[in-house]
Amino acid sequence: MKKSIELWPFAGAMPVVIVAVKDEEKLNFAPHGMYGKMSFEPPLLHISVLKNHETAKIINKINKFSVNIATTDLLEKVKHCGSISGVDKDKSNEFEVFYGQSDVPMICKSPVNMSCEVYQTIETNDMYIYIGKVVEAFSDEEYIEDNYPVVTKIDPLICTEQGEYYRMGSKLE
């Protein structure tokens, strides 16, 4: 028998990404579970950011951001960055970064990095949903097969709506 539950867009388990942004004043990192692919051509993804967060303020100013796949070994950094606000604390030293041609910071310890330009912004009552066009993508060689990152090699960090973290299971045939 079905039971009524909270009106919440159920996503079950979600991959955790770390969004990195930089304006002339600061570098900021924010973990996000509200992320997903949207299109192959052009290559589009989306992230949802609360309007009052520093990440949203910077993205609205510079119209670009990076998405960095979080791994299980980055759990403590993810928890730390998610527990403090970029308004209250400078998070610029949390990760070592590199830059591609798009001049967007990307996290060195992340196995997959995507630099995005804002393609479109959708506004809800509490969030900005940024649709980003991926303009550059990087991965460490150890994670790549046939020019694509392999998820089981990456060991992505997974979270739930309740803020619990998990490791991915095994591949099903």
Side-chain angles (χ1 to χ4, degrees):
M1 175 184 211
K2 293 282 188 179
K3 180 182 176 190
S4 179
I5 61 174
E6 289 291 322
L7 296 179
W8 193 258
F10 179 74
M14 302 169 288
V16 177
V17 298
I18 304 164
V19 175
V21 292
K22 183 179 189 291
D23 66 6
E24 64 278 348
E25 298 170 20
K26 65 170 58 171
L27 174 60
N28 192 56
F29 304 102
H32 289 275
M34 294 170 63
Y35 146 85
K37 296 187 293 185
M38 294 188 71
S39 169
F40 292 112
E41 191 55 46
L44 300 177
L45 56 78
H46 70 83
I47 59 168
S48 297
V49 182
L50 286 166
K51 287 181 176 180
N52 63 346
H53 281 203
E54 189 69 8
T55 304
K57 292 174 188 168
I58 295 174
I59 292 173
N60 288 341
K61 186 176 182 180
I62 64 169
N63 286 310
K64 53 188 175 178
F65 58 92
S66 74
V67 171
N68 304 272
I69 303 299
T71 57
T72 58
D73 64 329
L74 292 177
L75 176 60
E76 292 309 312
K77 289 264 193 188
V78 164
K79 286 173 146 180
H80 179 70
C81 283
S83 69
I84 56 177
S85 168
V87 172
D88 301 327
K89 184 174 186 307
D90 180 6
K91 296 193 252 183
S92 61
N93 293 320
E94 295 295 328
F95 295 98
E96 182 182 346
V97 298
F98 71 96
Y99 294 85
Q101 292 181 350
S102 61
D103 199 34
V104 175
M106 290 173 272
I107 298 171
C108 293
K109 287 207 179 250
S110 172
V112 178
N113 317 87
M114 294 165 281
S115 174
C116 301
E117 295 174 351
V118 174
Y119 184 82
Q120 184 178 355
T121 303
I122 300 168
E123 190 173 346
T124 68
N125 287 338
D126 60 343
M127 298 222 174
Y128 291 113
I129 302 165
Y130 298 104
I131 299 172
K133 180 178 180 185
V134 180
V135 295
E136 291 183 289
F138 299 91
S139 181
D140 296 298
E141 286 186 43
E142 66 193 89
Y143 303 110
I144 302 170
E145 285 181 17
D146 298 324
N147 207 32
Y148 289 98
V150 178
V151 71
T152 53
K153 290 183 177 186
I154 292 170
D155 193 21
L157 183 61
I158 308 295
C159 70
T160 66
E161 304 284 347
Q162 295 79 23
E164 299 167 330
Y165 295 96
Y166 291 89
R167 169 173 271 133
M168 223 175 99
S170 60
K171 179 182 175 184
L172 303 175
E173 296 300 323

